Structure formats: C-alpha cells, structure tokens
Amino acid sequence: MTELSALTARQLLAGYEKGEFTPVDATRAALERIEAVEPLVNAFVRVDAEEALAQAEAAAGRWRAKEPQGLLDGVPVSVKDIFLMRGGPTLRGSRTVRAQGPWEEDAPAVARLREHGAVLLGKTTTPEFGWKGVTDSPLTGVTRNPYAPARTAGGSSGGSAAAVALGAGPLSLGTDGGGSVRIPASFCGIFALKPTYGRVPLYPSSPFGTLAHAGPMTRDAADAALLMDVISGADWRDWSQLGPGESLSGALEGGVKGLRVAYSASFGVQVAVRPEVAAAVRRAVEKLADLGAYVEEADPALGIEHGADPVEAFHTLWFSGAARLVQHFGPEQRELLDPGLREVCEAGARLSALDYLAAVDARMDLGRRMGRFHSTYDLLVTPTLPITAFEAGVEVPRGSGHRRWTGWTPFTYPFNLTQQPAATVPCGTDVDGLPIGVQLVAARHRDALVLRAAHALYGSGVTEIRRPA
C-alpha cells in the first residue's frame, strides 16, 4: 500500500493544509490502488478516474488559495451503488435496472459530500437491492475479502468495506438494513457505524422502510465522526429525518471512564460464537474496563430466551419489503433476479397485513425492552458476528444449517428493528489472519457515545491488526 493510500481522511486534510501533498496526489494514490486490487476483490461497479481527478484538481486549487470548501475538500470517497449519484446509473446490483439516463439527482448524503468538496471515486458493489449479508449479484459477480480472496467481504456494503480496507479511498458511504455496514466492516477489519435511524437522510426511501440506515465506513472512529458531520445535513426529501444534531467530531474526547457497560457474549442463548472471536471480544471488553468503564456481564431481554426470536419479525418486515420492491415485475424481470432474492420475495408476497402489523408490535416491544435495558447500561458490547469471513459466493457458511443470512448475524439485525446506533470496531484476527469485530450499541440518539467509546478503543491499541497488502 502506498503511503498516501494508507492515510485517514483527517491525515489527508492535515497534509493538504501543510502543503505536504495535494488532493491530486491522494486521488491518484487511491486510483492506483483500485487498479491494483480490483481484479482480486471486485469492489467497484464503476470508477470515473477522469472526473475524480478533475474534482481533485479543483480542490487542490482551493487549498492553494487557502479557501477549502467544507469539511472534506479533496478527500477521496466511494459510494455504495444503492445511493443515487448524478452523472451515472445506480444499478443496485440488478439486471432489472435500466442504465439509460438521465441520472440527474444525488441522494442526500451524496449531495452533502459534493457540498463539502469530497472527490467521488465511483460506486461500490452490492448484492441485488442490498438484500443479503454477503456481496454477490447477477450483475457484478462476487466481491471478495481483502485478507483472503477466497472468502466473502460480507455485505451488503461489501464493496465499500473492501475498498476502505485496501486503501481505495479512506471513506465510503454504505447502507445498513440488518447489519450491512457492520457485517462487511467486521469481516474486512475496518470501522463502521449504523447511526440512529433518521440521523442520515435517505432518498429515495428504502424498500425495506425504517429498517434501513445510511452510515460511514472508515479506517477509524474519528473519520466516521467527521463523515457523519457532513452527511447528517438536513434534506427535505426524507420526511423521517431527524435534522441536524450535535457535532460528532466534537464529542469524541472524554473516554469511557465511569460508563456502565454490559457485556453480552451470546444474548443469553446458545449462539455458537467461535472461541477465537469470543476471546478477542473479551479482550476488548477488558480494555474498556482498564480505561475506567464499569463492566459487567448482562444480557438484554430480547425475548429470545422466552422463545420469541425477533428474527421472525425481522423476516416479516424484510421479506414484505422485498416483495413490494418487485410487485410490478413481470415474469421475465423476475427470472433475472438472484434466486435467493426471488425466494424471499415469494415468501413476502404470502404475508398478510395482519402478519406485518404483528411484526410491528414485536418490534415496538423489542424497542421498549432495549429502552429499559439502557436505563441501566450506557453501552451494550457484543461480538459483531459470531464467525469470521467464510467462503465467497454463498449466502450462508456451508454446513452451518442456516437457511438465510440472518442465521449467522444474530448480533446485528436486532438493532435495525430498534433503530439504535451500533458500531463495529476491529479487535483482533483469527488463526487465519481474518479480522474480528466487537460491536458497541447505545440507546437511540446516543450516536456520540458510541463514537466516543470506539475512539477510546482506537487509542488503546486493541484495534491494531495487520492491514491487507
């Protein structure tokens, strides 16, 4: 990895200010990394090198004039191919989307990036319509793990995770409907935040409704806070947006001393967490205690212990959203879909309005349970995933017995149901050198607390892992 491609966004900005290098230098380094690693990982749908360099030249001129534009002027950023980005198609991993334009509108987060001078490198891969926790699609094929190309990068923001891990830009925009920034970030050894629902405006609305969040995928928590300060800007096109909040970059310091932290190794049920994963997560929890947090083992009351697994409510909401997405597709279009997505759509079409409302009731009850839990604990800490990256090109690990991707992501999707902020922080590797992530969760609207705790972990050294070559 070249020196510039290894830097964080904040380090790039500091270098621009000092005149040590320019946005053109950083953009060329990112483009060189894309050219070098793309044949191995397949992280990008489209790269517009000419346009990116033109944006970088403009940013360099502003830095020379000492008049930078916004918070990210000249920083290379990639965007998951779920977000609209004017000037090119948003295909969403599907052969059913027509590439013909005009494509004249930016999604809210993309519009904010332009306003703050970011250099847009291109669009990253996604499974079809972002429907599953790994990244492969009929349109773009399989996206692979930077640490072991035979393994999956995770999903659905797998292209973004692989790009950031490999130095193809320090920042990327992802989406998370059931773990879709946290899953690939954990598998690829980077940081990701699923903010409180509505903190980052979304348009067009996701077919998966209020399960879907937009969030930053970065090298560390400080970069994520910076990106959040940009993409949280208000946008009238999202009626459910929360509107501007506090500066998250300004809330990073303070550490974890005195915080009440609950450590749940398996949600109180028999989740088969691999021993290497459990050990790495426990070390991160012990580090929080060393930093002054009050830590105790405690499991949130998710209802699983009473046989009411929230996955059923999640499936009802997720599958019905998928069915609605393809409701007007004819037989020829349906035949083009990922077979797994087609199955999910068919299952969703069989659900009734009463089924949907029962799932909403279960979701509200889960939110109430977690609200009560956080009246006692500031943070909940869990493994991000019970496993490390498995074979690329399959939805579930072979021999696992799982039917759908939610079977191996028990720690992520519950917090899409409750809309809480949740982040993953790299905390070690397994014997094969594959990254492991620890998940930090807080009550709704306490995004700053999640980032502050993650930032403390980055300062502690527990996040130091070997970067992919």
Side-chain angles (χ1 to χ4, degrees):
M1 184 179 294
T2 63
E3 184 179 354
L4 286 182
S5 66
L7 298 183
T8 67
R10 286 174 175 261
Q11 290 169 330
L12 289 177
L13 290 166
Y16 300 161
E17 186 173 18
K18 295 174 184 175
E20 296 173 344
F21 45 80
T22 73
V24 175
D25 299 326
T27 300
R28 288 193 186 282
L31 291 171
E32 287 170 5
R33 285 298 290 168
I34 294 171
E35 185 176 2
V37 303
E38 185 60 10
L40 293 175
V41 296
N42 185 33
F44 282 83
V45 178
R46 186 178 76 255
V47 176
D48 191 338
E50 184 177 346
E51 174 60 22
L53 288 169
Q55 293 174 14
E57 290 278 7
R62 293 190 292 269
W63 280 105
R64 284 194 297 271
K66 301 189 183 305
E67 296 178 350
Q69 175 182 311
L71 297 177
L72 292 176
D73 204 5
V75 176
V77 182
S78 59
V79 176
K80 183 180 181 180
D81 197 33
I82 290 290
F83 295 91
L84 292 178
M85 193 164 82
R86 71 172 190 259
T90 297
L91 301 177
R92 300 194 284 176
S94 182
R95 294 182 293 173
T96 67
V97 178
R98 296 177 69 250
Q100 289 83 354
W103 298 90
E104 298 177 337
E105 193 168 17
D106 284 328
V110 177
R112 302 295 86 76
L113 286 173
R114 288 194 199 273
E115 290 167 5
H116 283 263
V119 173
L120 301 177
L121 295 170
K123 305 294 283 293
T124 56
T125 53
T126 176
E128 193 163 24
F129 300 114
W131 81 273
K132 60 184 176 180
V134 294
T135 301
D136 59 72
S137 77
L139 181 69
T140 58
V142 178
T143 296
R144 300 178 179 277
N145 193 290
Y147 286 83
R151 309 288 184 104
T152 180
S156 62
S157 305
S160 288
V164 171
L166 287 165
L171 308 177
S172 193
L173 284 183
T175 60
D176 190 314
S180 289
V181 298
R182 291 162 289 157
I183 294 165
S186 181
F187 277 176
C188 294
I190 67 165
F191 180 82
L193 171 71
K194 179 190 75 66
T196 299
Y197 178 80
R199 178 58 60 204
V200 180
L202 277 172
Y203 172 85
S205 301
S206 170
F208 304 109
T210 58
L211 295 172
H213 304 56
M217 305 182 73
T218 62
R219 300 247 176 82
D220 61 24
D223 267 11
L226 176 63
L227 184 50
M228 281 293 296
D229 284 346
V230 170
I231 63 177
S232 297
D235 195 292
W236 61 265
R237 292 173 292 174
D238 183 354
W239 65 271
S240 63
Q241 65 175 323
L242 295 178
E246 64 179 311
S247 167
L248 295 176
S249 293
L252 286 173
E253 303 304 325
V256 298
K257 186 175 182 179
L259 291 182
R260 302 162 299 170
V261 175
Y263 166 48
S264 179
S266 62
F267 283 166
V269 294
Q270 296 302 311
V271 175
V273 179
R274 286 186 185 166
E276 293 166 282
V277 173
V281 172
R282 182 171 285 278
R283 286 193 295 271
V285 171
E286 290 170 352
K287 182 59 69 174
L288 289 172
D290 292 343
L291 293 170
Y294 298 111
V295 178
E296 64 178 281
E297 295 194 24
D299 299 311
L302 299 183
I304 305 174
E305 65 278 12
H306 304 302
D309 193 335
V311 77
E312 297 306 323
F314 182 84
H315 281 169
T316 296
L317 298 171
W318 195 256
F319 294 178
S320 58
R324 172 63 175 164
L325 175 68
V326 305
Q327 182 179 9
H328 301 295
F329 283 17
E332 291 183 0
Q333 282 182 297
R334 288 175 182 267
E335 196 58 35
L336 296 174
L337 294 173
D338 179 331
L341 175 58
R342 193 161 54 240
E343 289 179 12
V344 163
C345 292
E346 290 168 355
R350 294 192 292 269
L351 295 166
S352 69
L354 290 178
D355 294 328
Y356 189 92
L357 291 173
V360 171
D361 285 343
R363 181 184 193 179
M364 290 191 291
D365 182 62
L366 179 62
R368 178 185 59 81
R369 291 170 184 262
M370 287 307 303
R372 182 164 57 192
F373 184 82
H374 284 292
S375 69
T376 301
Y377 299 103
D378 298 302
L379 284 174
L380 169 65
V381 180
T382 75
T384 305
L385 296 166
I387 59 176
T388 52
F390 54 87
E391 177 187 356
V394 295
E395 183 185 347
V396 301
R398 294 189 192 277
S400 66
H402 299 309
R403 173 68 179 138
R404 296 263 79 102
W405 61 272
T406 44
W408 54 269
T409 60
F411 299 109
T412 59
Y413 65 79
F415 305 111
N416 293 81
L417 288 165
T418 61
Q419 302 186 338
Q420 295 171 242
T424 183
V425 179
C427 63
T429 55
D430 68 8
V431 293
D432 296 319
L434 296 169
I436 296 166
V438 58
Q439 180 174 234
L440 309 178
V441 184
R444 291 177 76 241
H445 309 297
R446 300 204 72 186
D447 305 64
L449 178 61
V450 171
L451 286 166
R452 193 177 96 205
H455 186 60
L457 281 178
Y458 272 94
S460 74
V462 76
T463 62
E464 295 300 323
I465 62 173
R466 177 188 64 83
R467 290 294 170 191

